[in-house]
Amino acid sequence: SLVVFYAARLSGDPTVMMLSEMATKEDAARLRAHLGLDKPITTQYALFLKQAAQGDFGESTRYHRPVTEVLAARFPASLQLGSVAIVISILIALPVGVYSAVHRGTALDFAGRLFALLGQSLPLFWLALILILIFAVWFGWLPAAGRGGLANFILPAVTMGWATTPAIMRLTRSSMLEVLESEYVKLARIKGLPEWKVVWKHAL
């Protein structure tokens, strides 16, 4: 909270964004007094903590509404987007991780590990721009922005899911390799249990 509070103060005077170009110095002074910006910085921080503890995060300098209202209005969309991103991440990471472990040392295993490496290396903002360029601008298959049907969730959800997919995939692969080398799995194979049943049972 301390870092965020002071970083916000370093970004400039919020009254400049809140007031029109026709505003006078007296208008700016009144607004600063209303927001408590005329007080010492330590006093401002103490008031910020006091109000935050009561659930009051002040007024948005952009929307001129209480911050809690702005967050509440956008929470459903954030929850939906996060849920879709998690589902996409799991649907990609688990099968790839299991397949990579079962076919250890093959070209497909190498491709899976390369995918995980790229996933942890590529900046998300760059990936988002590339996806928009390809699927929204070049091909026109998906919308570039906005909230609507399922199509609006695909590009942002894939971008968000990309951040966690490599970690889940690597964890799945390493766990699966450990399980496949265990004694009870070797015993199941000796007893003649089909390989697909061994993999399916322990993947679940």
Side-chain angles (χ1 to χ4, degrees):
S1 66
L2 184 64
V3 172
V4 171
F5 180 83
Y6 281 97
R9 294 303 184 273
L10 292 174
S11 63
D13 187 356
T15 60
V16 176
M17 295 183 293
M18 300 177 71
L19 293 173
S20 66
E21 297 180 356
M22 304 299 294
T24 63
K25 293 183 179 179
E26 290 74 15
D27 294 332
R30 281 195 297 269
L31 181 58
R32 289 179 60 84
H34 173 70
L35 297 176
L37 298 176
D38 57 337
K39 296 180 176 63
I41 191 69
T42 52
T43 305
Q44 293 182 40
Y45 180 65
L47 291 174
F48 164 74
L49 290 180
K50 179 182 178 181
Q51 294 173 345
Q54 298 173 349
D56 180 10
F57 296 98
E59 183 177 302
S60 170
T61 57
R62 180 176 179 181
Y63 298 102
H64 306 289
R65 294 167 52 197
V67 173
T68 51
E69 290 185 7
V70 177
L71 293 177
R74 287 154 177 74
F75 180 75
S78 300
L79 182 61
Q80 291 174 354
L81 180 58
S83 300
V84 175
I86 292 174
V87 170
I88 290 177
S89 179
I90 292 175
L91 290 178
I92 295 175
L94 292 184
V96 174
V98 171
Y99 193 90
S100 181
V102 173
H103 299 84
R104 182 180 184 181
T106 63
L108 291 175
D109 177 33
F110 175 78
R113 286 183 290 162
L114 180 62
F115 170 76
L117 179 62
L118 290 175
Q120 292 181 320
S121 304
L122 293 178
L124 290 184
F125 72 90
W126 181 85
L127 175 64
L129 293 175
I130 294 300
L131 291 178
I132 291 174
L133 178 65
I134 295 175
F135 295 101
V137 178
W138 288 354
F139 295 107
W141 293 343
L142 298 169
R147 184 187 179 195
L150 181 61
N152 295 88
F153 284 99
I154 294 178
L155 290 184
V158 168
T159 303
M160 291 180 61
W162 183 276
T164 55
T165 297
I168 298 176
M169 197 208 79
R170 294 181 65 179
L171 179 62
T172 302
R173 181 180 181 275
S174 60
S175 300
M176 196 67 187
L177 286 174
E178 183 178 352
V179 170
L180 292 177
E181 295 297 326
S182 60
E183 295 298 327
Y184 63 88
V185 171
K186 294 178 181 179
L187 180 61
R189 287 169 173 164
I190 292 174
K191 288 184 176 181
L193 192 67
E195 185 68 15
W196 70 268
K197 286 188 177 182
V198 175
V199 174
W200 178 256
K201 179 179 180 181
H202 295 93
L204 296 177

